[in-house]
mmCIF file of all heavy atoms in Angstrom:
data_model
loop_
_atom_site.group_PDB
_atom_site.id
_atom_site.type_symbol
_atom_site.label_atom_id
_atom_site.label_comp_id
_atom_site.label_asym_id
_atom_site.label_seq_id
_atom_site.Cartn_x
_atom_site.Cartn_y
_atom_site.Cartn_z
ATOM 1 N N ALA A 157 -3.714 -16.283 -28.255
ATOM 2 C CA ALA A 157 -3.575 -14.934 -27.775
ATOM 3 C C ALA A 157 -2.567 -14.932 -26.561
ATOM 4 O O ALA A 157 -1.682 -14.093 -26.488
ATOM 5 C CB ALA A 157 -4.859 -14.325 -27.329
ATOM 6 N N ARG A 158 -2.715 -15.892 -25.674
ATOM 7 C CA ARG A 158 -1.799 -15.996 -24.597
ATOM 8 C C ARG A 158 -0.382 -16.273 -25.038
ATOM 9 O O ARG A 158 0.559 -15.813 -24.410
ATOM 10 C CB ARG A 158 -2.311 -17.057 -23.592
ATOM 11 C CG ARG A 158 -3.565 -16.651 -22.828
ATOM 12 C CD ARG A 158 -4.190 -17.828 -22.058
ATOM 13 N NE ARG A 158 -5.298 -17.374 -21.322
ATOM 14 C CZ ARG A 158 -6.228 -18.165 -20.772
ATOM 15 N NH1 ARG A 158 -6.119 -19.505 -20.975
ATOM 16 N NH2 ARG A 158 -7.253 -17.687 -20.079
ATOM 17 N N SER A 159 -0.222 -17.021 -26.057
ATOM 18 C CA SER A 159 1.089 -17.323 -26.643
ATOM 19 C C SER A 159 1.766 -16.014 -27.100
ATOM 20 O O SER A 159 2.964 -15.840 -26.911
ATOM 21 C CB SER A 159 0.971 -18.293 -27.793
ATOM 22 O OG SER A 159 0.521 -19.548 -27.330
ATOM 23 N N LEU A 160 0.981 -15.184 -27.701
ATOM 24 C CA LEU A 160 1.543 -13.865 -28.115
ATOM 25 C C LEU A 160 1.948 -13.025 -26.932
ATOM 26 O O LEU A 160 2.997 -12.379 -26.947
ATOM 27 C CB LEU A 160 0.500 -13.095 -28.970
ATOM 28 C CG LEU A 160 0.237 -13.630 -30.384
ATOM 29 C CD1 LEU A 160 -0.820 -12.773 -31.060
ATOM 30 C CD2 LEU A 160 1.527 -13.613 -31.246
ATOM 31 N N ASP A 161 1.138 -13.061 -25.887
ATOM 32 C CA ASP A 161 1.468 -12.310 -24.673
ATOM 33 C C ASP A 161 2.742 -12.838 -24.057
ATOM 34 O O ASP A 161 3.542 -12.108 -23.492
ATOM 35 C CB ASP A 161 0.327 -12.415 -23.643
ATOM 36 C CG ASP A 161 -0.835 -11.518 -24.039
ATOM 37 O OD1 ASP A 161 -0.630 -10.482 -24.676
ATOM 38 O OD2 ASP A 161 -1.988 -11.898 -23.680
ATOM 39 N N ALA A 162 2.979 -14.133 -24.096
ATOM 40 C CA ALA A 162 4.182 -14.768 -23.551
ATOM 41 C C ALA A 162 5.468 -14.249 -24.246
ATOM 42 O O ALA A 162 6.556 -14.193 -23.649
ATOM 43 C CB ALA A 162 4.120 -16.270 -23.592
ATOM 44 N N LEU A 163 5.316 -13.836 -25.528
ATOM 45 C CA LEU A 163 6.427 -13.344 -26.282
ATOM 46 C C LEU A 163 6.503 -11.863 -26.260
ATOM 47 O O LEU A 163 7.467 -11.293 -26.861
ATOM 48 C CB LEU A 163 6.254 -13.792 -27.740
ATOM 49 C CG LEU A 163 6.302 -15.323 -27.974
ATOM 50 C CD1 LEU A 163 5.964 -15.649 -29.428
ATOM 51 C CD2 LEU A 163 7.633 -15.931 -27.590
ATOM 52 N N ASP A 164 5.562 -11.189 -25.629
ATOM 53 C CA ASP A 164 5.494 -9.756 -25.641
ATOM 54 C C ASP A 164 6.600 -9.138 -24.800
ATOM 55 O O ASP A 164 6.672 -9.362 -23.554
ATOM 56 C CB ASP A 164 4.123 -9.282 -25.111
ATOM 57 C CG ASP A 164 3.968 -7.751 -25.096
ATOM 58 O OD1 ASP A 164 4.754 -7.054 -25.724
ATOM 59 O OD2 ASP A 164 2.981 -7.244 -24.452
ATOM 60 N N ALA A 165 7.484 -8.303 -25.389
ATOM 61 C CA ALA A 165 8.553 -7.652 -24.657
ATOM 62 C C ALA A 165 8.078 -6.662 -23.652
ATOM 63 O O ALA A 165 8.824 -6.242 -22.774
ATOM 64 C CB ALA A 165 9.534 -6.995 -25.665
ATOM 65 N N PHE A 166 6.800 -6.269 -23.729
ATOM 66 C CA PHE A 166 6.293 -5.231 -22.885
ATOM 67 C C PHE A 166 5.367 -5.775 -21.785
ATOM 68 O O PHE A 166 4.702 -5.017 -21.089
ATOM 69 C CB PHE A 166 5.557 -4.176 -23.682
ATOM 70 C CG PHE A 166 6.393 -3.607 -24.821
ATOM 71 C CD1 PHE A 166 6.098 -3.926 -26.112
ATOM 72 C CD2 PHE A 166 7.441 -2.771 -24.520
ATOM 73 C CE1 PHE A 166 6.881 -3.443 -27.149
ATOM 74 C CE2 PHE A 166 8.232 -2.272 -25.537
ATOM 75 C CZ PHE A 166 7.948 -2.617 -26.860
ATOM 76 N N ARG A 167 5.338 -7.083 -21.634
ATOM 77 C CA ARG A 167 4.342 -7.666 -20.675
ATOM 78 C C ARG A 167 4.608 -7.177 -19.268
ATOM 79 O O ARG A 167 3.652 -7.016 -18.446
ATOM 80 C CB ARG A 167 4.345 -9.185 -20.751
ATOM 81 C CG ARG A 167 5.625 -9.891 -20.412
ATOM 82 C CD ARG A 167 5.607 -11.380 -20.750
ATOM 83 N NE ARG A 167 6.858 -12.061 -20.368
ATOM 84 C CZ ARG A 167 7.909 -12.085 -21.173
ATOM 85 N NH1 ARG A 167 7.882 -11.484 -22.342
ATOM 86 N NH2 ARG A 167 8.983 -12.773 -20.783
ATOM 87 N N SER A 168 5.885 -6.898 -18.894
ATOM 88 C CA SER A 168 6.194 -6.415 -17.561
ATOM 89 C C SER A 168 5.807 -4.995 -17.353
ATOM 90 O O SER A 168 5.622 -4.566 -16.215
ATOM 91 C CB SER A 168 7.643 -6.681 -17.211
ATOM 92 O OG SER A 168 8.501 -5.897 -18.060
ATOM 93 N N ILE A 169 5.689 -4.234 -18.470
ATOM 94 C CA ILE A 169 5.335 -2.804 -18.348
ATOM 95 C C ILE A 169 3.911 -2.629 -17.782
ATOM 96 O O ILE A 169 3.629 -1.650 -17.124
ATOM 97 C CB ILE A 169 5.441 -2.151 -19.741
ATOM 98 C CG1 ILE A 169 6.844 -2.264 -20.292
ATOM 99 C CG2 ILE A 169 5.002 -0.685 -19.661
ATOM 100 C CD1 ILE A 169 7.886 -1.488 -19.556
ATOM 101 N N ARG A 170 3.067 -3.656 -17.947
ATOM 102 C CA ARG A 170 1.729 -3.592 -17.453
ATOM 103 C C ARG A 170 1.740 -3.414 -15.898
ATOM 104 O O ARG A 170 0.847 -2.775 -15.362
ATOM 105 C CB ARG A 170 0.984 -4.858 -17.828
ATOM 106 C CG ARG A 170 -0.514 -4.904 -17.512
ATOM 107 C CD ARG A 170 -1.102 -6.219 -17.991
ATOM 108 N NE ARG A 170 -2.490 -6.398 -17.585
ATOM 109 C CZ ARG A 170 -3.521 -6.269 -18.409
ATOM 110 N NH1 ARG A 170 -3.302 -5.922 -19.665
ATOM 111 N NH2 ARG A 170 -4.748 -6.433 -17.955
ATOM 112 N N ASP A 171 2.777 -3.893 -15.283
ATOM 113 C CA ASP A 171 2.888 -3.751 -13.820
ATOM 114 C C ASP A 171 3.130 -2.310 -13.423
ATOM 115 O O ASP A 171 3.103 -1.987 -12.204
ATOM 116 C CB ASP A 171 4.053 -4.607 -13.288
ATOM 117 C CG ASP A 171 3.710 -6.131 -13.456
ATOM 118 O OD1 ASP A 171 2.542 -6.450 -13.574
ATOM 119 O OD2 ASP A 171 4.695 -6.893 -13.508
ATOM 120 N N ARG A 172 3.461 -1.422 -14.336
ATOM 121 C CA ARG A 172 3.608 0.026 -13.995
ATOM 122 C C ARG A 172 2.259 0.706 -13.808
ATOM 123 O O ARG A 172 2.213 1.881 -13.479
ATOM 124 C CB ARG A 172 4.407 0.703 -15.158
ATOM 125 C CG ARG A 172 5.805 0.191 -15.287
ATOM 126 C CD ARG A 172 6.555 0.982 -16.393
ATOM 127 N NE ARG A 172 7.896 0.421 -16.568
ATOM 128 C CZ ARG A 172 8.770 0.916 -17.413
ATOM 129 N NH1 ARG A 172 8.476 1.963 -18.180
ATOM 130 N NH2 ARG A 172 9.997 0.383 -17.538
ATOM 131 N N PHE A 173 1.168 -0.023 -13.948
ATOM 132 C CA PHE A 173 -0.202 0.545 -13.877
ATOM 133 C C PHE A 173 -1.034 -0.146 -12.848
ATOM 134 O O PHE A 173 -0.822 -1.338 -12.601
ATOM 135 C CB PHE A 173 -0.893 0.472 -15.224
ATOM 136 C CG PHE A 173 -0.206 1.292 -16.326
ATOM 137 C CD1 PHE A 173 0.791 0.732 -17.113
ATOM 138 C CD2 PHE A 173 -0.572 2.601 -16.532
ATOM 139 C CE1 PHE A 173 1.406 1.484 -18.070
ATOM 140 C CE2 PHE A 173 0.038 3.360 -17.523
ATOM 141 C CZ PHE A 173 1.060 2.815 -18.274
ATOM 142 N N SER A 174 -1.909 0.630 -12.215
ATOM 143 C CA SER A 174 -2.891 0.054 -11.283
ATOM 144 C C SER A 174 -4.178 -0.199 -12.043
ATOM 145 O O SER A 174 -5.021 0.755 -12.116
ATOM 146 C CB SER A 174 -3.109 1.021 -10.088
ATOM 147 O OG SER A 174 -1.910 1.151 -9.336
ATOM 148 N N LEU A 175 -4.331 -1.336 -12.654
ATOM 149 C CA LEU A 175 -5.498 -1.615 -13.456
ATOM 150 C C LEU A 175 -6.515 -2.431 -12.607
ATOM 151 O O LEU A 175 -6.140 -3.334 -11.855
ATOM 152 C CB LEU A 175 -5.116 -2.460 -14.644
ATOM 153 C CG LEU A 175 -4.284 -1.696 -15.688
ATOM 154 C CD1 LEU A 175 -3.571 -2.685 -16.618
ATOM 155 C CD2 LEU A 175 -5.178 -0.759 -16.491
ATOM 156 N N PRO A 176 -7.799 -2.059 -12.661
ATOM 157 C CA PRO A 176 -8.803 -2.772 -11.885
ATOM 158 C C PRO A 176 -8.859 -4.283 -12.331
ATOM 159 O O PRO A 176 -8.737 -4.629 -13.465
ATOM 160 C CB PRO A 176 -10.126 -2.063 -12.250
ATOM 161 C CG PRO A 176 -9.713 -0.740 -12.778
ATOM 162 C CD PRO A 176 -8.378 -0.963 -13.450
ATOM 163 N N GLU A 177 -9.023 -5.134 -11.332
ATOM 164 C CA GLU A 177 -9.188 -6.536 -11.636
ATOM 165 C C GLU A 177 -10.502 -6.814 -12.353
ATOM 166 O O GLU A 177 -11.490 -6.099 -12.179
ATOM 167 C CB GLU A 177 -9.144 -7.339 -10.327
ATOM 168 C CG GLU A 177 -7.777 -7.329 -9.627
ATOM 169 C CD GLU A 177 -7.755 -8.229 -8.433
ATOM 170 O OE1 GLU A 177 -8.731 -8.973 -8.233
ATOM 171 O OE2 GLU A 177 -6.728 -8.162 -7.690
ATOM 172 N N LYS A 178 -10.500 -7.814 -13.151
ATOM 173 C CA LYS A 178 -11.671 -8.243 -13.909
ATOM 174 C C LYS A 178 -12.255 -7.147 -14.822
ATOM 175 O O LYS A 178 -13.448 -7.067 -15.006
ATOM 176 C CB LYS A 178 -12.757 -8.734 -12.950
ATOM 177 C CG LYS A 178 -12.326 -9.978 -12.115
ATOM 178 C CD LYS A 178 -13.418 -10.446 -11.212
ATOM 179 C CE LYS A 178 -12.934 -11.668 -10.401
ATOM 180 N NZ LYS A 178 -13.997 -12.159 -9.465
ATOM 181 N N MET A 179 -11.354 -6.292 -15.322
ATOM 182 C CA MET A 179 -11.791 -5.278 -16.278
ATOM 183 C C MET A 179 -10.820 -5.283 -17.454
ATOM 184 O O MET A 179 -9.607 -5.375 -17.245
ATOM 185 C CB MET A 179 -11.786 -3.848 -15.648
ATOM 186 C CG MET A 179 -12.126 -2.744 -16.647
ATOM 187 S SD MET A 179 -11.879 -1.088 -15.992
ATOM 188 C CE MET A 179 -13.221 -1.006 -14.835
ATOM 189 N N ILE A 180 -11.399 -5.200 -18.621
ATOM 190 C CA ILE A 180 -10.571 -5.052 -19.840
ATOM 191 C C ILE A 180 -10.732 -3.623 -20.291
ATOM 192 O O ILE A 180 -11.813 -3.185 -20.765
ATOM 193 C CB ILE A 180 -11.005 -5.999 -20.959
ATOM 194 C CG1 ILE A 180 -10.862 -7.435 -20.456
ATOM 195 C CG2 ILE A 180 -10.257 -5.782 -22.232
ATOM 196 C CD1 ILE A 180 -11.502 -8.460 -21.425
ATOM 197 N N TYR A 181 -9.657 -2.833 -20.079
ATOM 198 C CA TYR A 181 -9.805 -1.408 -20.275
ATOM 199 C C TYR A 181 -9.339 -1.041 -21.680
ATOM 200 O O TYR A 181 -8.091 -1.115 -21.965
ATOM 201 C CB TYR A 181 -8.979 -0.631 -19.225
ATOM 202 C CG TYR A 181 -9.220 0.836 -19.279
ATOM 203 C CD1 TYR A 181 -10.492 1.370 -18.936
ATOM 204 C CD2 TYR A 181 -8.229 1.722 -19.633
ATOM 205 C CE1 TYR A 181 -10.731 2.731 -18.971
ATOM 206 C CE2 TYR A 181 -8.456 3.105 -19.666
ATOM 207 C CZ TYR A 181 -9.723 3.595 -19.330
ATOM 208 O OH TYR A 181 -9.951 4.938 -19.364
ATOM 209 N N LEU A 182 -10.237 -0.643 -22.526
ATOM 210 C CA LEU A 182 -9.981 -0.282 -23.929
ATOM 211 C C LEU A 182 -10.398 1.158 -24.188
ATOM 212 O O LEU A 182 -10.948 1.494 -25.256
ATOM 213 C CB LEU A 182 -10.695 -1.238 -24.872
ATOM 214 C CG LEU A 182 -10.381 -2.758 -24.688
ATOM 215 C CD1 LEU A 182 -11.153 -3.555 -25.668
ATOM 216 C CD2 LEU A 182 -8.885 -3.023 -24.783
ATOM 217 N N ASP A 183 -10.065 2.024 -23.232
ATOM 218 C CA ASP A 183 -10.444 3.449 -23.399
ATOM 219 C C ASP A 183 -9.297 4.372 -23.059
ATOM 220 O O ASP A 183 -9.513 5.524 -22.660
ATOM 221 C CB ASP A 183 -11.698 3.769 -22.536
ATOM 222 C CG ASP A 183 -12.495 4.957 -23.093
ATOM 223 O OD1 ASP A 183 -12.221 5.397 -24.227
ATOM 224 O OD2 ASP A 183 -13.341 5.451 -22.352
ATOM 225 N N GLY A 184 -8.078 3.895 -23.143
ATOM 226 C CA GLY A 184 -6.905 4.720 -22.876
ATOM 227 C C GLY A 184 -6.810 5.877 -23.878
ATOM 228 O O GLY A 184 -6.049 6.798 -23.648
ATOM 229 N N ASN A 185 -7.534 5.805 -24.968
ATOM 230 C CA ASN A 185 -7.534 6.854 -25.938
ATOM 231 C C ASN A 185 -8.447 8.055 -25.483
ATOM 232 O O ASN A 185 -8.399 9.129 -26.089
ATOM 233 C CB ASN A 185 -8.023 6.382 -27.293
ATOM 234 C CG ASN A 185 -9.354 5.674 -27.226
ATOM 235 O OD1 ASN A 185 -9.515 4.744 -26.394
ATOM 236 N ND2 ASN A 185 -10.319 6.049 -28.029
ATOM 237 N N SER A 186 -9.153 7.830 -24.384
ATOM 238 C CA SER A 186 -9.897 8.939 -23.792
ATOM 239 C C SER A 186 -9.326 9.303 -22.407
ATOM 240 O O SER A 186 -9.194 10.477 -22.123
ATOM 241 C CB SER A 186 -11.414 8.487 -23.533
ATOM 242 O OG SER A 186 -12.129 8.580 -24.762
ATOM 243 N N LEU A 187 -8.968 8.320 -21.628
ATOM 244 C CA LEU A 187 -8.349 8.542 -20.320
ATOM 245 C C LEU A 187 -7.395 7.387 -20.033
ATOM 246 O O LEU A 187 -7.842 6.247 -19.889
ATOM 247 C CB LEU A 187 -9.413 8.659 -19.204
ATOM 248 C CG LEU A 187 -8.845 8.830 -17.767
ATOM 249 C CD1 LEU A 187 -8.047 10.162 -17.630
ATOM 250 C CD2 LEU A 187 -9.925 8.752 -16.725
ATOM 251 N N GLY A 188 -6.096 7.717 -19.944
ATOM 252 C CA GLY A 188 -5.167 6.649 -19.640
ATOM 253 C C GLY A 188 -5.332 6.076 -18.245
ATOM 254 O O GLY A 188 -5.880 6.725 -17.342
ATOM 255 N N ALA A 189 -4.869 4.832 -18.095
ATOM 256 C CA ALA A 189 -4.937 4.185 -16.813
ATOM 257 C C ALA A 189 -4.001 4.864 -15.800
ATOM 258 O O ALA A 189 -3.069 5.598 -16.124
ATOM 259 C CB ALA A 189 -4.567 2.703 -16.961
ATOM 260 N N LEU A 190 -4.240 4.558 -14.474
ATOM 261 C CA LEU A 190 -3.477 5.147 -13.391
ATOM 262 C C LEU A 190 -2.121 4.443 -13.291
ATOM 263 O O LEU A 190 -2.086 3.237 -12.997
ATOM 264 C CB LEU A 190 -4.254 5.004 -12.106
ATOM 265 C CG LEU A 190 -3.550 5.418 -10.854
ATOM 266 C CD1 LEU A 190 -3.310 6.892 -10.781
ATOM 267 C CD2 LEU A 190 -4.368 4.984 -9.621
ATOM 268 N N PRO A 191 -1.033 5.181 -13.444
ATOM 269 C CA PRO A 191 0.277 4.556 -13.149
ATOM 270 C C PRO A 191 0.423 4.277 -11.668
ATOM 271 O O PRO A 191 -0.072 5.009 -10.787
ATOM 272 C CB PRO A 191 1.285 5.668 -13.568
ATOM 273 C CG PRO A 191 0.524 6.529 -14.539
ATOM 274 C CD PRO A 191 -0.876 6.551 -14.042
ATOM 275 N N ALA A 192 1.061 3.151 -11.360
ATOM 276 C CA ALA A 192 1.203 2.723 -9.941
ATOM 277 C C ALA A 192 1.956 3.699 -9.092
ATOM 278 O O ALA A 192 1.735 3.813 -7.919
ATOM 279 C CB ALA A 192 1.871 1.367 -9.924
ATOM 280 N N ASP A 193 2.835 4.456 -9.727
ATOM 281 C CA ASP A 193 3.705 5.467 -9.029
ATOM 282 C C ASP A 193 2.995 6.796 -8.767
ATOM 283 O O ASP A 193 3.529 7.611 -8.039
ATOM 284 C CB ASP A 193 5.005 5.729 -9.765
ATOM 285 C CG ASP A 193 5.948 4.561 -9.751
ATOM 286 O OD1 ASP A 193 5.751 3.653 -8.968
ATOM 287 O OD2 ASP A 193 6.843 4.504 -10.644
ATOM 288 N N THR A 194 1.853 7.010 -9.351
ATOM 289 C CA THR A 194 1.229 8.304 -9.229
ATOM 290 C C THR A 194 0.720 8.648 -7.844
ATOM 291 O O THR A 194 0.971 9.758 -7.316
ATOM 292 C CB THR A 194 0.085 8.429 -10.254
ATOM 293 O OG1 THR A 194 0.557 8.262 -11.575
ATOM 294 C CG2 THR A 194 -0.608 9.815 -10.145
ATOM 295 N N LEU A 195 0.044 7.735 -7.181
ATOM 296 C CA LEU A 195 -0.489 7.985 -5.852
ATOM 297 C C LEU A 195 0.623 8.350 -4.855
ATOM 298 O O LEU A 195 0.512 9.347 -4.179
ATOM 299 C CB LEU A 195 -1.343 6.842 -5.391
ATOM 300 C CG LEU A 195 -2.759 6.768 -5.912
ATOM 301 C CD1 LEU A 195 -3.463 5.521 -5.388
ATOM 302 C CD2 LEU A 195 -3.581 8.000 -5.478
ATOM 303 N N PRO A 196 1.704 7.507 -4.739
ATOM 304 C CA PRO A 196 2.706 7.925 -3.743
ATOM 305 C C PRO A 196 3.421 9.238 -4.173
ATOM 306 O O PRO A 196 3.804 10.041 -3.275
ATOM 307 C CB PRO A 196 3.689 6.724 -3.822
ATOM 308 C CG PRO A 196 3.337 5.944 -5.004
ATOM 309 C CD PRO A 196 1.895 6.197 -5.280
ATOM 310 N N ARG A 197 3.564 9.505 -5.460
ATOM 311 C CA ARG A 197 4.156 10.777 -5.866
ATOM 312 C C ARG A 197 3.308 11.928 -5.497
ATOM 313 O O ARG A 197 3.772 12.952 -4.972
ATOM 314 C CB ARG A 197 4.412 10.758 -7.395
ATOM 315 C CG ARG A 197 4.935 12.064 -7.967
ATOM 316 C CD ARG A 197 6.252 12.450 -7.350
ATOM 317 N NE ARG A 197 6.731 13.707 -7.848
ATOM 318 C CZ ARG A 197 7.307 14.628 -7.001
ATOM 319 N NH1 ARG A 197 7.440 14.406 -5.738
ATOM 320 N NH2 ARG A 197 7.712 15.812 -7.514
#
């Protein structure tokens, strides 16, 4: 699985979000994660 992530063209996009540590969030179909730019905006 990590090998697939290393090839993922979108791996850096994850940094656009403020995701809690030690959580695997699989509910973006109900409530999307917080973008990192939202609070300052």
Side-chain angles (χ1 to χ4, degrees):
R158 289 170 177 164
S159 295
L160 288 178
D161 286 330
L163 299 172
D164 180 14
F166 307 107
R167 61 188 182 278
S168 64
I169 300 294
R170 187 178 174 104
D171 294 336
R172 296 182 182 182
F173 295 88
S174 296
L175 291 162
E177 293 183 8
K178 298 181 180 179
M179 177 189 290
I180 299 171
Y181 189 64
L182 303 180
D183 206 10
N185 53 308
S186 281
L187 177 65
L190 173 67
D193 290 343
T194 298
L195 281 175
R197 175 61 185 138

